[in-house]
Amino acid sequence: MADLGHSTAPSDRAMQRAAKRWRDWLKEQDIGAAIFQQQAWRAYAEGHSGLISAPTGRGKTLAALGGPLMQAMADAETPEGRASHGPRMLWVTPLRALASDTRERITGPVAAVLPHWQVAMRTGDATSRDKRLTDTGKAQLVVITPESLALLLSHERSREQFSQLRCIVVDEWHELLPSKRGVLLQLNLARIQALAPGAQVWGLSATIGNLQEASDVLLSAWQVKEPALVQDMRPKPFHLHSITPPLGTRMPWAGHLGLANLGEVAKLVFSAPSTIVFTNTRAQAELWHTALASIWPEDADTLAIHHGSLDQGVRQSVEQRLRAGTLRCVVATSSLDLGVDFPAVERVIQIGGARSVARMVQRAGRAKHRPGAAVHVEAVATQAMDLAEFAAVRELAEAQVYERREPLRLCFDVLSQHAMSAALAGGFRPPELLAEVRRTAAFRDLSDAQWLAVLAFLEHGSDSLVQYPQYERLHCADGLCQPANTGVVRMHRMSIGTITAHGAVNVQYLRGARLGSVEEAFIARLNAGDVFNFAGRSLVLVRLENSTAWVRRSAQVGLLTPAWAGSLMPMSSSLGERMQQLLSQAAASPAADDAPHARELQWLQPLLQLQSQRSLVPGAGQLLIEQVGQTQAPQAGKAAPLFVYPFAGRVAHEGLAVLIATRLAHLQANTFAWACNEIGLMVQPTLPIDANAVDWAEIFKQDGLDTDLRSAVNFSELARKRFKEIAQIAGLVQSKVPGKKSRASDRQLQVSASLLFDVLSKYDPEHLLLRQARQEALDQELHLPTMQRLLASIAARQIALRFPAKHTPFSFGLWAESFRGQLSNETWQNKVRRMAEQQERQARGEPAPGPSRSARAPRTPRPGDPRKGAPPQRAQHPGSPNKAAAKATSKQAAPRKGTRSTPQRSPQPQDTH
């Protein structure tokens, strides 16, 4: 047994007795220990730290729990172990809902083998009893979120509170790894390492593409030479069943709502005791719940909705009923992706593509969430290309090829916050804290100059802000840094964390509970008396007051559904590449009837045949570029759109569209619009372009990428947008004020952050936070790292240029996207449906019919597509006039307006909850 810093280590015999008690309890529960679980327990007993990776429902919780519990049983036989004060084990979880579920799961085994232990939960929802147990040191095991851990560490008592800590388990580490919450946790783990250097750290992760890196980042503060990487190598069958119409039946070429499949979904729901229906966006979940409710034959209380914008009490009620088996169906987003156990759930349905192999497998694991059970999901295709995605997901999941999760580096806003927390916890000496911080992977490359800039920022904000006392938060004297005053202490503790405030308005009954929150932009478009759908209810807006929308129930079904910014999930590049390969293979030789993805590809055969007739189905080593409606000799006065198909996902395509438009504009003065989807992008010039005359290798070159992306957009405005979030995390602007119940509005935060951005840009342009804002604008708004990888991939491909006279199945979806920002008395769905039918008639050689019903008269609008679809964005050559985007006709579906130089913001993982 490794020396863990305690005066008396448990004897070998004590460990043997503890192991026997643990095995006896497992036997009583009829649990057979898996090999990977035994490996984890053995590694823990040998003093190792590490990472446990296994698919959903394999028993990762027991694998992480067994070692610490056996150690605690053996410790209890020593005087020091019995007299210890403070938590012996921390269980860090990314979600409050997951914290509650985790506490319930681990309380049973803890009570059985360590009856004297108390298990407490320390999250934003913790009870006064839980807080008291934690603060007084009477809880031996604490389930906690990263933000609550940071808050505890900001108190001076934390030095004593965590001194007896023996183990830290970080659950769902793969979710925290690529976020600032993961950076904050790294810093907090480094602080704990200084307080309890003998503690062991173990992470739990679903299978991802960079497990070793994930392990190294988690354990960086411990500087473990040989971390244990424990994986469950047992094959777990993954069954993905595609729900498609019969062969020969029409399926949309574009769109993602999928309500045409309502009947099929209802059949699946009623054929199982309990079902989770997953959607990719909160608005899509609201619309699907409304649709199911309209045909629901059972008690309305057996149908529910769950997403991240609902009030915590509403979500907890749904989770409890789902766990108890009293709900027949829940329509959910990624808010139920993570490892919450719902044994009663027998079926999972995914509406449309999940855009990620790992996400699809994670969601499938919500059904029959029991060790050893096969993973099964019913996937409902909402458009033709979903079928290719389903086939690719099935193949990659069976081969266990998952996406990477990239960790963040040098987040100075998080470091500034952490340094202030250290100051609150009794103060710090800069050289000592610097050494501690540099042990983390996130700040391994932190320079002396950058560290001094962080301290200077905390001491006076900036040279240009030195006259304003509110920015003096840190006082350093005699080598010790402490808070400048007591007001700083209160303000800082109210703002700990990296989940920043967005423009949200609370939705609450006039005489009742709070339902959740919607975006300010949506509520601002409503008038008193308007009916909208939210939280699975039809609500009428009574009044908007003090950032609260007061509502009452409505007997009328609402026509408006809120949409949330960043509500599109981007497809991973690895999934897109495999989709392209499968489509190419299917076009070249139709799949045999017994092939695993034969059903999807057979259904796609007519579409692929038409694509081949009109253009080309690109192979793995090809990049297809189509110029539709133009012969190889350009026609004067007619600008044909360009379509490019990298199959790299929407995020990469947005950046590539900006780059193509910018570099084409360098060749000739022009104005461009663009639209993107998961397989490609459309660039629509105002003036004709001869695609044959374009040097495409020059367009896709990697040289000058950074410069061209910056010049393509109003880069200062992108940096300003990032600065708002950075300023909140760093404490430069405050969303909460002591003594006030309500948060500052999004408009107030924006104004405060914008003024500071302007002042610093003028008088201190190299300020630490400004440099970070510019870098984040490049990396997260313009996706510079993704673009670099994509251009490197394109350089190895052969350009295949085609000039189809009519739209192809590939181009049609992009063309349809471009109509979202136009004025029309048709709904977008009806317009796309009419255009698709026209394309199909042309493909069959049939004559066009007379005017359709939708063309003769406007129809009463239905709940629209919830996605804030981007209208064609416009990039103009320098000097050309800016054109305002057309207004949308629907309040519900009003898209984000395109400016002359700002591409649509890509979604963040947390926006989709």
Side-chain angles (χ1 to χ4, degrees):
M1 172 68 65
D3 180 11
L4 296 177
H6 298 267
S7 57
T8 304
S11 66
D12 290 341
R13 287 190 177 182
M15 287 298 298
Q16 291 171 5
R17 287 191 291 270
K20 183 179 183 304
R21 288 184 61 188
W22 179 246
R23 289 195 301 269
D24 290 344
W25 179 82
L26 292 174
K27 187 174 181 181
E28 291 171 4
Q29 305 300 313
D30 196 26
I31 298 174
I35 293 176
F36 86 98
Q37 292 172 327
Q38 297 177 49
Q39 290 172 339
W41 301 335
R42 185 162 53 250
Y44 188 91
E46 293 171 354
H48 293 293
S49 294
L51 184 70
I52 300 171
S53 174
T56 300
R58 285 295 188 92
K60 291 192 293 291
T61 300
L62 280 181
L65 190 63
L69 291 190
M70 285 186 276
Q71 181 188 64
M73 284 187 278
D75 280 344
E77 297 186 16
T78 66
E80 291 84 357
R82 289 190 296 271
S84 64
H85 179 81
R88 305 296 298 275
M89 182 176 182
L90 292 179
W91 195 288
V92 183
T93 176
L95 296 179
R96 288 181 289 182
L98 188 55
S100 178
D101 180 75
T102 299
R103 178 183 181 175
E104 292 185 16
R105 279 187 288 156
I106 65 180
T107 297
V110 170
V113 299
L114 291 167
H116 64 284
W117 267 32
Q118 295 277 358
V119 179
M121 186 172 71
R122 192 61 187 261
T123 68
D125 305 316
T127 64
S128 57
R129 177 181 179 273
D130 283 330
K131 292 179 180 178
R132 185 173 62 255
L133 286 173
T134 305
D135 294 341
T136 58
K138 294 181 179 179
Q140 287 76 25
L141 197 161
V142 179
V143 181
I144 195 167
T145 58
E147 291 73 24
S148 294
L149 177 58
L151 183 60
L152 290 183
L153 287 169
S154 73
H155 291 273
E156 191 168 358
R157 65 173 179 266
S158 62
R159 298 176 184 271
E160 179 184 358
Q161 187 176 22
F162 293 108
S163 62
Q164 299 297 312
L165 193 65
R166 303 295 297 274
C167 178
I168 307 146
V169 174
V170 180
D171 204 355
E172 306 287 354
W173 172 236
H174 62 284
E175 287 294 325
L176 293 168
L177 175 65
S179 69
K180 289 185 179 180
R181 299 181 75 203
V183 174
L184 180 62
L185 183 58
Q186 289 181 57
L187 291 169
N188 289 331
L189 290 177
R191 173 115 294 229
I192 290 176
Q193 197 276 340
L195 302 177
Q200 294 168 253
V201 179
W202 282 81
L204 305 183
S205 173
T207 305
I208 58 176
N210 55 331
L211 278 175
Q212 188 61 58
E213 182 181 23
S215 175
D216 294 342
V217 171
L218 175 66
L219 304 175
S220 56
W222 261 254
Q223 299 181 337
V224 179
K225 293 182 179 180
E226 295 182 4
L229 184 57
V230 179
Q231 294 180 264
D232 183 6
M233 305 307 294
R234 294 173 297 171
K236 186 169 185 177
F238 175 77
H239 302 298
L240 187 153
H241 179 250
S242 299
I243 305 301
T244 59
L247 289 175
T249 305
R250 180 187 172 276
M251 179 177 286
W253 287 5
H256 83 292
L257 188 56
L259 285 175
N261 298 293
L262 178 61
E264 287 296 321
V265 171
K267 290 179 183 178
L268 291 171
V269 167
F270 290 116
S271 64
S274 185
T275 300
I276 298 178
V277 177
F278 278 110
T279 66
N280 287 346
T281 71
R282 287 166 283 186
Q284 191 181 15
E286 291 281 353
L287 288 167
W288 264 93
H289 182 276
T290 300
L292 283 169
S294 69
I295 61 170
W296 197 253
E298 300 182 0
D299 189 332
D301 289 339
T302 62
L303 174 66
I305 185 171
H306 191 288
H307 60 70
S309 289
L310 300 180
D311 183 73
Q312 179 69 15
V314 175
R315 297 200 303 270
Q316 286 182 339
S317 173
V318 172
E319 291 159 14
Q320 291 168 1
R321 288 186 289 154
L322 191 58
R323 192 176 293 111
T326 59
L327 279 178
R328 192 68 182 271
C329 177
V330 175
V331 183
T333 62
S334 54
S335 58
L336 287 184
D337 274 6
L338 300 184
V340 181
D341 271 337
F342 300 115
V345 174
E346 290 291 330
R347 172 162 286 159
V348 164
I349 300 172
Q350 168 67 38
I351 304 297
R355 309 301 185 229
S356 160
V357 179
R359 188 180 300 118
M360 183 71 90
V361 173
Q362 186 88 1
R363 290 180 172 182
R366 297 303 100 209
K368 302 177 181 178
H369 191 184
R370 296 179 288 275
V375 177
H376 191 102
V377 61
E378 305 283 348
V380 179
T382 63
Q383 58 164 307
M385 279 300 154
D386 284 345
L387 295 175
E389 180 180 337
F390 295 159
V393 165
R394 182 191 296 113
E395 188 171 293
L396 293 174
E398 290 173 351
Q400 298 187 14
V401 177
Y402 299 100
E403 293 84 4
R404 294 173 55 89
R405 301 291 179 96
E406 301 294 343
L408 300 180
R409 314 278 181 182
L410 295 177
C411 300
F412 298 112
D413 50 349
V414 182
L415 179 58
S416 301
Q417 182 184 118
H418 179 73
M420 275 306 305
S421 295
L424 269 59
F428 67 86
R429 297 190 179 279
E432 295 174 2
L433 186 57
L434 174 60
E436 179 183 305
V437 164
R438 279 178 172 165
R439 287 201 297 269
T440 66
F443 296 98
R444 187 175 291 146
D445 300 324
L446 180 68
S447 68
D448 290 342
Q450 290 168 332
W451 173 241
L452 293 175
V454 169
L455 295 179
F457 162 67
L458 295 175
E459 288 182 290
H460 55 261
S462 164
D463 291 340
S464 57
L465 302 174
V466 72
Q467 300 299 323
Y468 299 89
Q470 64 265 37
Y471 300 115
E472 183 183 344
R473 295 183 289 150
L474 190 69
H475 177 70
C476 296
D478 299 326
L480 183 67
C481 295
Q482 295 178 301
N485 53 65
T486 56
V488 169
V489 175
R490 288 185 299 151
M491 189 74 75
H492 179 77
R493 288 206 174 109
M494 292 183 68
S495 305
I496 284 178
T498 61
I499 302 176
T500 56
H502 293 278
V505 172
N506 292 327
V507 179
Q508 186 169 350
Y509 284 130
L510 283 171
R511 297 180 179 179
R514 178 179 178 272
L515 295 175
S517 61
V518 297
E519 289 190 355
E520 284 180 337
F522 171 75
I523 287 294
R525 294 193 294 267
L526 301 185
N527 299 315
D530 283 351
V531 179
F532 64 99
N533 302 313
F534 179 65
R537 301 161 174 84
S538 291
L539 307 171
V540 58
L541 177 65
V542 177
R543 66 178 182 271
L544 179 63
E545 182 179 78
N546 295 330
S547 297
T548 299
W550 297 96
V551 299
R552 55 180 171 79
R553 289 294 291 266
S554 173
Q556 175 186 356
V557 178
L559 296 179
L560 306 174
T561 299
W564 285 264
S567 58
L568 292 174
M569 285 184 171
M571 179 184 290
S572 66
S573 58
S574 58
L575 180 54
E577 289 171 6
R578 188 56 191 150
M579 280 179 59
Q580 180 180 0
Q581 293 168 6
L582 287 177
L583 291 172
S584 176
Q585 293 169 8
S589 56
D593 292 340
D594 59 348
H597 41 260
R599 191 163 180 267
E600 291 93 356
L601 298 184
Q602 283 179 0
W603 203 100
L604 287 172
Q605 279 302 316
L607 180 147
L608 295 176
Q609 290 173 6
L610 182 59
Q611 177 69 30
S612 297
Q613 291 169 7
R614 292 187 174 181
S615 176
L616 172 73
V617 178
Q622 293 179 305
L623 176 68
L624 174 63
I625 300 176
E626 295 176 340
Q627 191 166 31
V628 177
Q630 177 171 301
T631 62
Q632 296 197 31
Q635 302 173 29
K638 183 179 180 182
L642 290 163
F643 298 87
V644 185
Y645 306 101
F647 283 82
R650 183 182 293 266
V651 165
H653 295 159
E654 284 177 351
L656 187 61
V658 173
L659 184 69
I660 292 174
T662 301
R663 290 179 171 176
L664 288 176
H666 290 163
L667 302 178
Q668 66 178 73
N670 214 328
T671 298
F672 296 88
W674 65 83
C676 303
N677 64 15
E678 303 301 343
I679 69 169
L681 60 98
M682 180 189 80
V683 175
Q684 174 66 66
T686 300
L687 301 176
I689 289 178
D690 184 356
N692 267 323
V694 174
D695 183 351
W696 291 104
E698 186 71 12
I699 296 295
F700 296 124
K701 68 179 181 181
Q702 296 185 58
D703 294 342
L705 174 61
D706 185 321
T707 303
D708 285 344
L709 287 178
R710 286 173 181 264
S711 66
V713 298
N714 191 338
F715 187 74
S716 177
E717 288 305 309
L718 288 185
R720 185 190 301 272
K721 184 169 72 170
R722 300 305 309 178
F723 184 79
K724 174 190 168 186
E725 175 184 300
I726 291 168
Q728 288 183 67
I729 294 173
L732 197 58
V733 297
Q734 300 290 337
S735 60
K736 292 182 179 179
V737 179
K740 293 186 178 181
K741 294 183 179 180
S742 61
R743 288 178 175 266
S745 71
D746 188 61
R747 189 168 303 165
Q748 290 171 324
L749 289 174
Q750 183 64 51
V751 169
S752 298
S754 185
L755 286 173
L756 285 168
F757 181 85
D758 289 338
V759 169
L760 294 177
S761 297
K762 184 175 182 179
Y763 298 105
D764 193 0
E766 293 304 311
H767 189 277
L768 187 76
L769 299 188
L770 282 184
R771 293 203 305 268
Q772 181 180 342
R774 291 192 289 264
Q775 190 61 49
E776 287 191 10
L778 274 175
D779 293 348
Q780 299 178 34
E781 300 288 341
L782 297 178
H783 321 295
L784 180 61
T786 302
M787 288 292 298
Q788 290 169 335
R789 292 191 294 270
L790 176 57
L791 292 182
S793 170
I794 289 176
R797 304 189 204 181
Q798 178 185 4
I799 302 294
L801 189 59
R802 296 292 185 273
F803 297 88
K806 300 176 181 178
H807 276 291
T808 67
F810 285 6
S811 70
F812 179 80
L814 287 160
W815 185 53
E817 284 286 328
S818 70
F819 286 94
R820 286 186 178 276
Q822 296 186 358
L823 179 66
S824 173
N825 62 2
E826 288 183 284
T827 65
W828 181 83
Q829 293 92 334
N830 287 340
K831 191 168 188 176
V832 171
R833 186 182 301 113
R834 174 174 55 79
M835 292 187 296
E837 291 171 352
Q838 179 182 355
Q839 290 287 319
E840 290 169 351
R841 284 193 301 270
Q842 291 176 352
R844 294 192 297 266
E846 298 175 1
S852 65
R853 180 177 182 269
S854 61
R856 291 194 299 269
R859 299 179 58 183
T860 301
R862 297 179 180 177
D865 192 319
R867 177 174 50 180
K868 286 192 175 183
Q873 314 278 337
R874 297 200 175 268
Q876 293 178 309
H877 190 273
S880 58
N882 186 16
K883 298 182 180 179
K887 293 183 178 180
T889 59
S890 165
K891 293 178 182 178
Q892 177 268 321
R896 284 170 288 208
K897 300 298 185 292
T899 66
R900 73 183 183 91
S901 56
T902 303
Q904 178 186 353
R905 172 183 176 268
S906 293
Q908 305 301 317
Q910 65 186 39
D911 293 335
T912 61
H913 292 189

